[in-house]
């Protein structure tokens, strides 16, 4: 049986029909239509015969997690993706629940597809560059070109529609384009064939800015390459000038890089500076205890690093060390730590099974009488400290991150506007790992009555249990 599909909705409708007819995967032929159809419409007429069936033919209830995985995996560019998704669905309705497990070959492929698609969404958010154009004849003000490996344009467009307000823009890819008219998204004809087709008034300004913030003395070319995969460089405006700057840095500008700019500065006094003495002063710290990225170190006893197995599957991220932690140099050893300890035990999670750390590594406090009282870190302090958390995430590579409270959430998502209310109801995927958001243990301590205390505590325990389910301990 042959089915032509252009979108996830079409595939879903067709798959339901096939399931109702008891058609096994090996007897179903799936053909992806070349015509991508309308990115934002639901089903098209291609499968009218299938769509005409009453939706109730198959009462198949899928768990939300599987539905989300199928939706994501459907964006994976592979010729057999529709057939593969149908196979997963078929096995599920036969009761083969292991198809959702990474230990099953199909489950493993499904997870890998989801991970690749989410990574692509992340990369597209991070490495797309909008270029400003003259807004004439109704043309969009900003235009961006991107070459995604997977079909993530629709969801990425929704992401930018939420963030860019009423400014009009278009994102073009080799196979599709989306236009935002300030109010609505539209499927747009893909008129451009490359980034070079975009005329750009703002680009010169951006490149001047990029050159001016580039400090050859701080250049770590390896890091630069590992942070921005090379396939993105060609479409980044700065991509054209970076290689020249990198080689200039390697050829001596490390030492003299700022001399020219300093020497050119106007003003009454002449600054006598030789190239040898023009070494920039504020190198980034190599170790946490040398960290001066923000001012919190001044009033703290010491920086408090994370603790736990270097390959823990679960990482718990708190806000910042408290008074006891600051004195002992260990996270969660004070009153909030005691609450956490109890919740971990109740959830069946061993403390030495998790990596425990904080979004901010220095204690921020104010004096009240003789007591040092915790003060919430400012967003710039959270952002300054993020590099250390990023390092921990990269080296421990946890499968699940449990964020304890809003500061941890903002840091992990790198979004200063993220709120707990929007994410606390269910775990979600971020940059290829699960994130579970629960209250901070000190919220339990501060709750006004026993009932609220108990409720907040139970949310923490449930979140920890959830983390354990998402990243079960390795056996043996
Ligand atoms: N609160 C935190 O967020 N972290 C600690 O380490 C201690 C208290």
């Amino acid at each position: 049986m042959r089915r032509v599909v252009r979108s996830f909705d079409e595939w879903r409708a067709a798959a339901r029909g096939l399931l109702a007819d008891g058609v096994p995967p090996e007897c179903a032929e799936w053909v992806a239509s070349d015509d991508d159809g309308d990115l934002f419409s639901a089903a098209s007429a291609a499968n009218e015969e299938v769509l005409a069936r009453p939706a109730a033919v198959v009462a198949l209830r899928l768990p939300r997690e599987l539905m989300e995985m199928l939706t994501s995996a459907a964006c994976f560019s592979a010729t057999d993706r529709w057939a593969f998704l149908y196979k997963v669905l078929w096995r599920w309705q036969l009761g083969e629940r292991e198809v959702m497990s990474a230990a099953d070959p199909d489950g493993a492929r499904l997870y890998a597809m989801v991970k690749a698609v989410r990574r692509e969404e992340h990369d597209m958010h991070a490495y797309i560059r909008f270029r400003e154009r003259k807004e004439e004849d109704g043309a969009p003000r900003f235009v961006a070109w991107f070459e995604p490996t997977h079909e993530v344009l629709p969801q990425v467009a929704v992401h930018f529609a939420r963030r860019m307000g009423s400014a009009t823009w278009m994102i073009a890819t080799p196979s599709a384009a989306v236009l935002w008219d300030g109010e609505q998204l539209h499927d747009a004809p893909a008129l451009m064939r490359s980034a070079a087709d975009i005329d750009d008034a703002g680009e010169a300004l951006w490149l001047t800015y990029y050159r001016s913030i580039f400090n050859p003395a701080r250049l770590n070319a390896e890091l630069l390459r590992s942070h921005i995969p090379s396939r993105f460089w060609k479409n980044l405006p700065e991509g054209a000038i970076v290689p020249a700057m990198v080689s200039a840095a390697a050829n001596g500008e490390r030492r003299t890089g700022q001399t020219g700019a300093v020497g050119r500065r106007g003003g009454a006094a002449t600054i006598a500076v030789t190239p040898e003495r023009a070494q920039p002063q504020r190198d980034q710290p190599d170790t946490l205890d040398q960290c001066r990225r923000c001012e919190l170190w001044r009033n703290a006893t010491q920086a408090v690093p994370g603790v736990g197995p270097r390959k823990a599957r679960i990482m718990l991220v708190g806000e910042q060390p408290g008074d006891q932690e600051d004195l002992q140099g260990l996270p969660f050893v004070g009153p909030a730590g005691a609450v956490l300890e109890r919740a971990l035990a109740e959830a069946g999670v061993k403390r030495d099974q998790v990596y425990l750390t904080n979004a901010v590594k220095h204690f921020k406090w104010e004096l009240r009488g003789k007591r040092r009282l915790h003060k919430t870190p400012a967003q710039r302090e959270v952002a300054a400290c993020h590099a250390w958390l990023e390092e921990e995430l990269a080296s421990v590579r946890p499968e699940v991150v449990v964020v304890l409270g809003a500061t941890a959430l903002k840091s992990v998502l790198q979004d200063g506007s993220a709120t707990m209310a929007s994410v606390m109801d269910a775990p979600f995927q971020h940059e290829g790992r699960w994130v579970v958001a629960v209250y901070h243990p000190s919220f339990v301590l501060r709750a006004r009555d026993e009932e609220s205390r108990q409720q907040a505590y139970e949310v923490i325990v449930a979140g920890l249990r959830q983390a354990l389910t998402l990243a079960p301990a390795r056996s043996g």
Side-chain angles (χ1 to χ4, degrees):
M1 245 184 245
R2 187 180 160 92
R3 292 287 174 262
V4 181
V5 288
R6 290 188 294 191
S7 69
F8 182 71
D9 287 334
E10 286 188 8
W11 169 82
R12 187 167 56 175
R16 278 180 163 214
L18 292 174
L19 282 184
D21 293 341
V23 179
E26 56 278 15
C27 299
E29 187 189 353
W30 295 90
V31 180
S33 164
D34 286 344
D35 173 6
D36 279 337
D38 180 346
L39 286 168
F40 298 99
S41 79
S44 76
N47 284 312
E48 269 159 18
E49 170 242 324
V50 175
L51 299 177
R53 285 173 195 285
V57 247
V58 194
L60 184 63
R61 291 189 66 79
L62 297 183
R64 196 166 111 194
E65 189 189 348
L66 178 57
M67 196 57 206
E68 284 173 1
M69 290 177 81
L70 293 172
T71 314
S72 269
C75 304
F76 188 93
S77 296
T79 45
D80 68 339
R81 78 185 132 158
W82 301 119
F84 173 70
L85 296 189
Y86 183 61
K87 183 179 175 199
V88 170
L89 201 60
W90 174 262
R91 288 189 55 198
W92 171 269
Q93 60 95 39
L94 287 183
E96 295 181 28
R97 298 303 187 245
E98 66 274 21
V99 75
M100 272 186 75
S101 155
D104 177 275
D106 290 330
R109 181 173 177 205
L110 185 63
Y111 273 97
M113 288 165 83
V114 170
K115 193 166 173 190
V117 166
R118 292 194 177 143
R119 161 72 42 196
E120 194 65 18
E121 288 167 2
H122 165 266
D123 285 345
M124 196 160 168
H125 294 164
Y127 303 127
I128 206 164
R129 293 287 184 271
F130 284 94
R131 299 161 184 218
E132 191 166 6
R133 309 165 70 246
K134 285 198 199 79
E135 223 170 349
E136 53 195 20
D137 301 334
R141 181 165 158 212
F142 296 98
V143 178
W145 169 261
F146 199 84
E147 294 169 29
T149 307
H150 302 296
E151 294 168 20
V152 296
L153 178 58
Q155 58 268 44
V156 170
V158 170
H159 167 91
F160 283 107
R162 290 204 189 108
R163 277 166 180 71
M164 289 180 58
S166 58
T168 58
W169 51 258
M170 181 168 94
I171 301 176
T173 71
S175 59
V178 171
L179 178 76
W180 171 252
D181 65 8
E183 288 175 2
Q184 273 187 338
L185 287 167
H186 303 272
D187 186 17
L191 299 174
M192 295 183 287
R193 270 177 300 280
S194 76
D197 287 358
I198 305 174
D199 72 332
D200 179 23
E203 186 158 319
L205 191 61
W206 162 249
L207 292 182
T208 308
Y209 168 73
Y210 192 83
R211 272 198 200 94
S212 74
I213 58 162
F214 179 86
N215 181 344
R218 297 218 188 117
L219 176 71
N220 180 336
E222 274 318 303
L223 198 67
L224 197 66
R225 276 183 211 108
S226 70
H227 274 210
I228 307 190
S230 50
R231 75 185 171 97
F232 299 123
W233 279 114
K234 74 175 166 35
N235 289 329
L236 294 175
E238 63 270 33
I241 59 170
V242 164
M245 294 195 303
V246 168
S247 58
N251 289 330
E253 277 196 18
R254 271 204 174 80
R255 295 169 72 80
T256 60
Q258 293 184 330
T259 322
V262 172
R264 272 202 304 277
R265 269 206 195 138
T270 306
I271 305 170
V273 55
T274 62
E276 291 69 30
R277 297 193 54 217
Q279 291 281 12
Q281 286 169 354
R282 286 183 297 132
D283 266 347
Q284 294 300 347
D286 290 324
T287 60
L288 182 57
D289 59 354
Q290 294 169 358
C291 187
R292 306 290 181 261
R293 288 176 198 259
C294 74
E295 293 299 298
L296 294 185
W297 66 276
R298 290 186 185 282
N299 297 326
T301 311
Q302 57 194 315
V304 179
V307 294
R310 294 312 299 179
K311 292 290 165 223
R313 296 178 135 196
I314 302 176
M315 179 183 283
L316 266 50
V317 183
E319 181 188 86
Q320 60 166 351
D323 183 73
Q324 287 301 309
E325 289 78 11
D326 171 73
L327 296 171
Q328 297 185 40
L330 291 167
F332 286 104
V333 288
V339 175
L340 184 62
E341 183 104 55
R342 194 154 60 86
L344 282 167
E346 194 158 324
V349 184
K350 297 199 191 76
R351 185 161 174 154
D352 63 3
Q353 180 185 340
V354 296
Y355 187 92
L356 212 49
T357 191
N358 284 301
V360 171
K361 310 290 196 250
H362 281 112
F363 181 29
K364 181 174 182 182
W365 54 274
E366 61 188 348
L367 201 59
R368 287 270 178 84
K370 289 187 179 169
R371 295 180 58 212
R372 298 191 301 171
L373 282 196
H374 157 278
K375 224 175 152 200
T376 304
Q379 195 45 42
R380 66 174 182 287
E381 288 150 356
V382 178
C385 217
H386 182 78
W388 299 113
L389 180 62
E390 200 61 47
E391 246 185 55
E392 290 173 299
L393 286 166
S395 99
V396 179
R397 300 167 59 133
E399 284 158 45
V400 185
V401 176
V402 180
V403 292
L404 305 167
T407 303
L409 177 72
K410 288 174 184 169
S411 178
V412 168
L413 300 189
Q414 279 192 271
D415 176 0
S417 63
T419 60
M420 293 292 285
S422 57
V423 293
M424 266 188 41
D425 53 347
F428 58 96
Q429 282 271 324
H430 178 71
E431 297 187 346
R433 54 176 80 92
W434 287 106
V435 177
V436 177
V438 298
Y439 293 122
H440 191 280
S442 64
F443 186 72
V444 175
L445 296 171
R446 287 199 314 268
R448 58 186 142 57
D449 53 45
E450 184 48 38
E451 196 189 345
S452 337
R453 243 191 306 284
Q454 191 56 27
Q455 270 172 9
Y457 175 74
E458 275 161 18
V459 169
I460 300 178
V461 174
L464 294 171
R465 282 203 184 107
Q466 185 106 57
L468 201 54
T469 319
L470 293 168
R474 285 191 184 88
S475 52

